[in-house]
Amino acid sequence: MKASLDKIVKQTAAKHATSQGGLLPCLHEIQAEVGYIPNDYLDSIASAFSLSTAEVHGVVSFYHDFRTSPSAQQSVQICCAEACQASGSRELEAGVAGVLGVEFDETHPTDNYRLERVYCLGNCACGPSVRINNDVYGRVDLATLPQLVSEAAQS
């Protein structure tokens, strides 16, 4: 696996290194291929782009969609941006651990899902919004959230 991972990262970085603004497409491609951006390869990526490891780490840590470790099978993301807060996401944030049994930025013990905060899902008019995997749901409350997560796990 290590040799395969090494090859994927080096080839992907080399492919995008000559493009202006190629770092983000490179990181997206690595994550799509591997499932995350391995911390052990930030030096290699930085070298391909003539950047410091700190600069690459800064990009990876700035964007919430990038992960530096393998993720659960599903992700449950609660929008915490202002529009959703005005519609009730603060109540979701405050009570979600009690109804789902997991804190933000943790993976549920069954490894079925990881709970994450995001800051805008583009569904502002229907807040509070939640994304489970690639599906966005509007007007979600604590009573409906567990059912949405359960249904997503079955599909």
Side-chain angles (χ1 to χ4, degrees), residues 113-131:
Y113 56 87
R114 178 176 175 81
L115 181 62
E116 302 169 338
R117 283 184 175 91
V118 293
Y119 296 91
C120 196
L121 293 171
N123 197 33
C124 303
C126 297
S129 296
V130 172
R131 178 169 54 195

mmCIF file of all heavy atoms in Angstrom, residues 113-131:
data_model
loop_
_atom_site.group_PDB
_atom_site.id
_atom_site.type_symbol
_atom_site.label_atom_id
_atom_site.label_comp_id
_atom_site.label_asym_id
_atom_site.label_seq_id
_atom_site.Cartn_x
_atom_site.Cartn_y
_atom_site.Cartn_z
ATOM 1 N N TYR A 113 -20.392 7.005 10.708
ATOM 2 C CA TYR A 113 -20.359 8.392 10.269
ATOM 3 C C TYR A 113 -19.470 9.243 11.150
ATOM 4 O O TYR A 113 -19.178 8.915 12.286
ATOM 5 C CB TYR A 113 -21.762 8.992 10.218
ATOM 6 C CG TYR A 113 -22.513 8.907 11.526
ATOM 7 C CD1 TYR A 113 -22.384 9.891 12.490
ATOM 8 C CD2 TYR A 113 -23.346 7.836 11.797
ATOM 9 C CE1 TYR A 113 -23.063 9.813 13.688
ATOM 10 C CE2 TYR A 113 -24.033 7.750 12.996
ATOM 11 C CZ TYR A 113 -23.885 8.742 13.933
ATOM 12 O OH TYR A 113 -24.550 8.658 15.121
ATOM 13 N N ARG A 114 -19.064 10.356 10.565
ATOM 14 C CA ARG A 114 -18.263 11.368 11.253
ATOM 15 C C ARG A 114 -19.083 12.646 11.257
ATOM 16 O O ARG A 114 -19.658 13.021 10.248
ATOM 17 C CB ARG A 114 -16.946 11.582 10.520
ATOM 18 C CG ARG A 114 -16.065 12.642 11.133
ATOM 19 C CD ARG A 114 -14.723 12.715 10.397
ATOM 20 N NE ARG A 114 -13.914 13.788 10.882
ATOM 21 C CZ ARG A 114 -13.170 13.742 11.988
ATOM 22 N NH1 ARG A 114 -13.150 12.647 12.712
ATOM 23 N NH2 ARG A 114 -12.463 14.776 12.369
ATOM 24 N N LEU A 115 -19.123 13.321 12.389
ATOM 25 C CA LEU A 115 -19.878 14.561 12.541
ATOM 26 C C LEU A 115 -18.942 15.750 12.344
ATOM 27 O O LEU A 115 -17.889 15.817 12.974
ATOM 28 C CB LEU A 115 -20.518 14.618 13.926
ATOM 29 C CG LEU A 115 -21.365 15.846 14.241
ATOM 30 C CD1 LEU A 115 -22.561 15.955 13.290
ATOM 31 C CD2 LEU A 115 -21.842 15.789 15.684
ATOM 32 N N GLU A 116 -19.333 16.671 11.458
ATOM 33 C CA GLU A 116 -18.471 17.808 11.133
ATOM 34 C C GLU A 116 -19.281 19.097 11.049
ATOM 35 O O GLU A 116 -20.451 19.081 10.677
ATOM 36 C CB GLU A 116 -17.795 17.582 9.775
ATOM 37 C CG GLU A 116 -16.972 16.326 9.718
ATOM 38 C CD GLU A 116 -16.519 15.967 8.312
ATOM 39 O OE1 GLU A 116 -17.157 16.425 7.339
ATOM 40 O OE2 GLU A 116 -15.543 15.225 8.185
ATOM 41 N N ARG A 117 -18.625 20.204 11.378
ATOM 42 C CA ARG A 117 -19.188 21.538 11.151
ATOM 43 C C ARG A 117 -18.742 21.995 9.770
ATOM 44 O O ARG A 117 -17.600 21.774 9.378
ATOM 45 C CB ARG A 117 -18.638 22.536 12.163
ATOM 46 C CG ARG A 117 -19.226 22.458 13.511
ATOM 47 C CD ARG A 117 -18.648 23.602 14.389
ATOM 48 N NE ARG A 117 -19.281 23.614 15.676
ATOM 49 C CZ ARG A 117 -18.850 22.959 16.746
ATOM 50 N NH1 ARG A 117 -17.749 22.230 16.658
ATOM 51 N NH2 ARG A 117 -19.487 23.015 17.888
ATOM 52 N N VAL A 118 -19.634 22.658 9.057
ATOM 53 C CA VAL A 118 -19.271 23.317 7.800
ATOM 54 C C VAL A 118 -19.849 24.720 7.835
ATOM 55 O O VAL A 118 -20.751 25.011 8.623
ATOM 56 C CB VAL A 118 -19.763 22.543 6.557
ATOM 57 C CG1 VAL A 118 -19.047 21.227 6.418
ATOM 58 C CG2 VAL A 118 -21.251 22.344 6.574
ATOM 59 N N TYR A 119 -19.338 25.553 6.969
ATOM 60 C CA TYR A 119 -19.771 26.950 6.967
ATOM 61 C C TYR A 119 -20.286 27.334 5.592
ATOM 62 O O TYR A 119 -19.635 28.024 4.858
ATOM 63 C CB TYR A 119 -18.635 27.850 7.459
ATOM 64 C CG TYR A 119 -18.308 27.529 8.893
ATOM 65 C CD1 TYR A 119 -17.345 26.593 9.225
ATOM 66 C CD2 TYR A 119 -19.043 28.105 9.919
ATOM 67 C CE1 TYR A 119 -17.085 26.262 10.541
ATOM 68 C CE2 TYR A 119 -18.794 27.780 11.244
ATOM 69 C CZ TYR A 119 -17.825 26.858 11.546
ATOM 70 O OH TYR A 119 -17.584 26.526 12.853
ATOM 71 N N CYS A 120 -21.419 26.821 5.267
ATOM 72 C CA CYS A 120 -22.267 27.126 4.125
ATOM 73 C C CYS A 120 -22.362 25.937 3.180
ATOM 74 O O CYS A 120 -21.368 25.444 2.655
ATOM 75 C CB CYS A 120 -21.861 28.356 3.339
ATOM 76 S SG CYS A 120 -23.249 28.865 2.274
ATOM 77 N N LEU A 121 -23.573 25.497 3.021
ATOM 78 C CA LEU A 121 -23.880 24.411 2.089
ATOM 79 C C LEU A 121 -24.642 24.937 0.870
ATOM 80 O O LEU A 121 -25.075 24.180 0.032
ATOM 81 C CB LEU A 121 -24.710 23.331 2.799
ATOM 82 C CG LEU A 121 -23.970 22.569 3.897
ATOM 83 C CD1 LEU A 121 -24.941 21.693 4.683
ATOM 84 C CD2 LEU A 121 -22.853 21.732 3.312
ATOM 85 N N GLY A 122 -24.807 26.257 0.798
ATOM 86 C CA GLY A 122 -25.499 26.855 -0.344
ATOM 87 C C GLY A 122 -26.995 26.630 -0.315
ATOM 88 O O GLY A 122 -27.639 26.668 -1.358
ATOM 89 N N ASN A 123 -27.536 26.384 0.838
ATOM 90 C CA ASN A 123 -28.971 26.117 0.985
ATOM 91 C C ASN A 123 -29.558 27.080 2.029
ATOM 92 O O ASN A 123 -30.416 26.713 2.823
ATOM 93 C CB ASN A 123 -29.164 24.654 1.423
ATOM 94 C CG ASN A 123 -30.563 24.158 1.219
ATOM 95 O OD1 ASN A 123 -31.249 24.556 0.295
ATOM 96 N ND2 ASN A 123 -31.001 23.275 2.098
ATOM 97 N N CYS A 124 -29.102 28.315 1.978
ATOM 98 C CA CYS A 124 -29.385 29.307 3.024
ATOM 99 C C CYS A 124 -30.874 29.576 3.232
ATOM 100 O O CYS A 124 -31.308 29.783 4.362
ATOM 101 C CB CYS A 124 -28.665 30.615 2.709
ATOM 102 S SG CYS A 124 -26.877 30.415 2.520
ATOM 103 N N ALA A 125 -31.644 29.563 2.185
ATOM 104 C CA ALA A 125 -33.072 29.877 2.309
ATOM 105 C C ALA A 125 -33.848 28.778 3.022
ATOM 106 O O ALA A 125 -34.966 29.006 3.473
ATOM 107 C CB ALA A 125 -33.678 30.115 0.931
ATOM 108 N N CYS A 126 -33.262 27.602 3.137
ATOM 109 C CA CYS A 126 -33.962 26.464 3.753
ATOM 110 C C CYS A 126 -33.256 25.985 5.023
ATOM 111 O O CYS A 126 -33.355 24.827 5.387
ATOM 112 C CB CYS A 126 -34.070 25.318 2.753
ATOM 113 S SG CYS A 126 -35.051 25.718 1.315
ATOM 114 N N GLY A 127 -32.546 26.871 5.695
ATOM 115 C CA GLY A 127 -31.806 26.483 6.880
ATOM 116 C C GLY A 127 -32.714 26.141 8.045
ATOM 117 O O GLY A 127 -33.894 26.446 8.019
ATOM 118 N N PRO A 128 -32.173 25.440 9.022
ATOM 119 C CA PRO A 128 -30.800 24.949 9.071
ATOM 120 C C PRO A 128 -30.592 23.763 8.130
ATOM 121 O O PRO A 128 -31.476 22.932 7.968
ATOM 122 C CB PRO A 128 -30.597 24.537 10.523
ATOM 123 C CG PRO A 128 -31.956 24.347 11.084
ATOM 124 C CD PRO A 128 -32.880 25.182 10.271
ATOM 125 N N SER A 129 -29.422 23.749 7.528
ATOM 126 C CA SER A 129 -29.118 22.735 6.526
ATOM 127 C C SER A 129 -28.093 21.734 7.027
ATOM 128 O O SER A 129 -27.206 22.070 7.817
ATOM 129 C CB SER A 129 -28.589 23.388 5.252
ATOM 130 O OG SER A 129 -29.587 24.197 4.676
ATOM 131 N N VAL A 130 -28.242 20.513 6.538
ATOM 132 C CA VAL A 130 -27.351 19.413 6.882
ATOM 133 C C VAL A 130 -27.012 18.674 5.596
ATOM 134 O O VAL A 130 -27.880 18.493 4.738
ATOM 135 C CB VAL A 130 -28.030 18.449 7.886
ATOM 136 C CG1 VAL A 130 -27.202 17.206 8.112
ATOM 137 C CG2 VAL A 130 -28.305 19.154 9.207
ATOM 138 N N ARG A 131 -25.748 18.264 5.466
ATOM 139 C CA ARG A 131 -25.359 17.409 4.337
ATOM 140 C C ARG A 131 -24.952 16.066 4.906
ATOM 141 O O ARG A 131 -24.118 15.983 5.806
ATOM 142 C CB ARG A 131 -24.210 18.014 3.542
ATOM 143 C CG ARG A 131 -23.766 17.111 2.389
ATOM 144 C CD ARG A 131 -22.823 17.755 1.421
ATOM 145 N NE ARG A 131 -21.657 18.320 2.067
ATOM 146 C CZ ARG A 131 -20.820 19.176 1.481
ATOM 147 N NH1 ARG A 131 -21.027 19.569 0.246
ATOM 148 N NH2 ARG A 131 -19.781 19.639 2.140
#
